[in-house]
Amino acid sequence: MPGLTAPSSYSQEPPRHPILQINSKEPFNAEPPRSALISSYVTPVDFFYKRNHGPIPIVDDIESYYVSICGLIENSKDLFMRDIRMLRKYNITATLQCAGNRRTAMSNVRTVKGVGWDVSAIGNAVWSGAKLADVLELVGIPNLTSVTRSGGKHVEFVSIDKCKEENGGPYKASIPLSQATNPEADVLLAYEMNGEPLNRDHGYPLRVVVPGVIGARSVKWLDTINILAEECQDYKMFPPSVNWDNINWKSRRPLMDFPVQCVICSLEDVNVMKPGKAKVSGYAVSGGGRGIERVDISVDGGKNWVEASRYQKTGIPYIADHMSSDKWAWVFFEVIIDIPHSTQIVAKAVDTAANVQPESVETIWNLRGVLNTSWHRVQVRVGHSNM
């Protein structure tokens, strides 16, 4: 890749905010405290979770950097940044969530494989760049195409980075061609985040953003767009009965849309407080552009429920699937409740397709520890009483 300087050590890693909770140093994976997530609807870049599979690439010559589009198409093409910037620029507010968000809670049931994320491997940003559908038109693939003349059905994104899990090769992931060529899917080749050029941690100079889909599809440091007949065999979810001895990797399809999810961010896993009123607030989100129909809160472990208020912009009521709402973005919720004694507080969300979070993490346990969307529970100890 012209313009690329491959880092030889982790001493060249970019600076990060000290508030981040580091889950692994090499490669660097970190998340903010949960309370920081709900301080702003648009997550500041410093507080946005960092998910990496290897050392952070350095692209030091932006003029010679380009992305190759190849594979099962009639005309391959190399696109420089100036070519991409000539296309219409779109601003899309979208939440990215790692498939492993809340993995730590799942590993408490039974050991799983993967980075130990708490509840903050998620963030909401305004991404700016060209739509992938417009880019693919440059190589002769019309909008709303499901298969190319040469049999291409999937779009693979290949990164510049080198990662251990790929035996030193680049990280890569794919989405269906029908999604990539649909302008309404808002898939971007993004070069800005929150109005500023991407920084190195988040994919400078160019990354993919696939709204409504697990973060693994939003490949950073884009090198190649490859049109393929078969999808990438990567992030998958297996039943609780599957272990590393009996796994059949090809028996499951790769994960795409993330399920409905909500998390309490105003309280930690265990809290000590005085009896009285308390605010319970957090985030809720669903994949595929589905809105949040409601968020239910229980102060007695799930026996009785109250509905929380929902909002995206402060002071503007949230209406799911309304033009005033950001369809790809999370929703904040809050409710004031009375906590007279020690208890368990529970939150669950319902999306506009009536999907609801599963009650128990045990029923969705899987060996990779992905998609823990079970009811979120926190413990409250009032005064000096015992639970």
Side-chain angles (χ1 to χ4, degrees):
M1 163 62 69
L4 170 66
T5 299
S8 57
S9 71
Y10 286 85
S11 62
Q12 298 185 54
E13 297 273 296
R16 280 104 178 195
H17 199 284
I19 198 174
L20 293 176
Q21 300 168 349
I22 300 173
N23 297 326
S24 77
K25 290 186 177 180
E26 296 184 8
F28 187 84
N29 289 283
E31 62 188 302
R34 65 182 69 177
S35 58
L37 282 182
I38 52 172
S39 63
S40 175
Y41 171 64
V42 173
T43 309
V45 175
D46 283 348
F47 294 170
F48 209 96
Y49 76 100
K50 321 296 182 191
R51 175 66 175 115
N52 299 300
H53 297 263
I56 311 300
I58 300 174
V59 177
D60 54 7
D61 184 359
I62 194 63
E63 294 301 319
S64 63
Y65 167 86
Y66 63 82
V67 174
S68 297
I69 306 178
C70 55
L72 297 176
I73 53 177
E74 295 181 4
N75 299 301
S76 299
K77 191 176 183 66
D78 294 334
L79 289 182
F80 292 83
M81 282 302 298
R82 58 182 175 271
D83 301 318
I84 295 169
R85 288 181 177 275
M86 287 179 65
L87 296 170
R88 179 179 173 182
K89 180 182 178 182
Y90 290 85
N91 301 309
I92 304 294
T93 303
T95 297
L96 295 187
Q97 178 178 208
C98 179
N101 193 28
R102 300 180 60 196
R103 179 178 280 132
T104 298
M106 188 173 282
S107 68
N108 291 335
V109 174
R110 209 181 337 154
T111 302
V112 298
K113 182 179 180 180
V115 177
W117 297 104
D118 189 34
V119 301
S120 302
I122 188 172
N124 189 50
V126 180
W127 308 97
S128 303
K131 285 195 177 183
L132 179 58
D134 293 346
V135 172
L136 293 178
E137 280 194 308
L138 298 178
V139 293
I141 304 177
N143 286 352
L144 305 178
T145 297
S146 297
V147 56
T148 65
R149 293 179 181 177
S150 303
K153 297 180 181 179
H154 300 272
V155 180
E156 178 189 60
F157 309 114
V158 183
S159 177
I160 294 171
D161 70 346
K162 308 298 180 185
C163 49
K164 188 176 181 180
E165 61 202 62
E166 295 291 342
N167 298 315
Y171 178 78
K172 49 194 174 185
S174 67
I175 63 172
L177 181 64
S178 57
Q179 182 177 13
T181 58
N182 182 0
E184 297 299 314
D186 291 332
V187 181
L188 290 184
L189 297 191
Y191 43 80
E192 290 180 3
M193 179 182 183
N194 295 346
E196 299 291 336
L198 291 171
N199 67 17
R200 283 178 56 209
D201 259 329
H202 295 291
Y204 176 85
L206 192 69
R207 70 171 298 164
V208 182
V209 174
V210 188
V213 169
I214 63 167
R217 310 280 162 221
S218 294
V219 174
K220 300 188 286 187
W221 315 294
L222 187 61
D223 177 82
T224 303
I225 297 172
N226 200 6
I227 312 302
L228 302 175
E230 303 291 335
E231 59 195 348
C232 288
Q233 299 295 315
D234 47 17
Y235 281 72
K236 297 183 178 185
M237 185 177 184
F238 292 87
S241 59
V242 172
N243 58 47
W244 292 109
D245 294 325
N246 63 15
I247 190 170
N248 178 1
W249 196 258
K250 292 186 177 181
S251 67
R252 302 289 157 177
R253 297 189 63 186
L255 299 173
M256 290 294 171
D257 292 2
F258 49 76
V260 62
Q261 170 83 284
C262 83
V263 164
I264 297 168
C265 294
S266 57
L267 298 169
E268 298 299 319
D269 288 338
V270 179
N271 307 268
V272 177
M273 60 179 63
K274 296 178 180 179
K277 295 190 180 299
K279 183 170 77 170
V280 176
S281 57
Y283 66 78
V285 66
S286 191
R290 293 178 289 276
I292 298 299
E293 186 63 27
R294 70 175 199 269
V295 177
D296 301 324
I297 305 296
S298 171
V299 294
D300 56 10
K303 296 176 182 177
N304 298 283
W305 302 87
V306 296
E307 186 175 350
S309 62
R310 295 158 295 138
Y311 65 96
Q312 286 183 325
K313 288 88 170 177
T314 304
I316 301 176
Y318 169 78
I319 305 173
D321 295 346
H322 192 267
M323 288 182 61
S324 64
S325 302
D326 293 325
K327 67 178 291 188
W328 303 115
W330 62 12
V331 175
F332 284 172
F333 67 85
E334 66 177 30
V335 65
I336 304 297
I337 57 174
D338 189 49
I339 306 178
H341 51 74
S342 299
T343 189
Q344 182 185 75
I345 301 175
V346 185
K348 64 177 172 70
V350 182
D351 70 15
T352 51
N355 298 308
V356 63
Q357 293 173 253
E359 178 177 351
S360 166
V361 64
E362 287 84 359
T363 61
I364 56 172
W365 182 93
N366 60 90
L367 75 176
R368 283 295 311 278
V370 294
L371 301 189
N372 179 10
T373 57
S374 59
W375 293 2
H376 190 229
R377 306 167 186 267
V378 298
Q379 309 295 331
V380 173
R381 296 172 180 166
V382 173
H384 298 287
S385 63
N386 295 320
M387 294 193 68

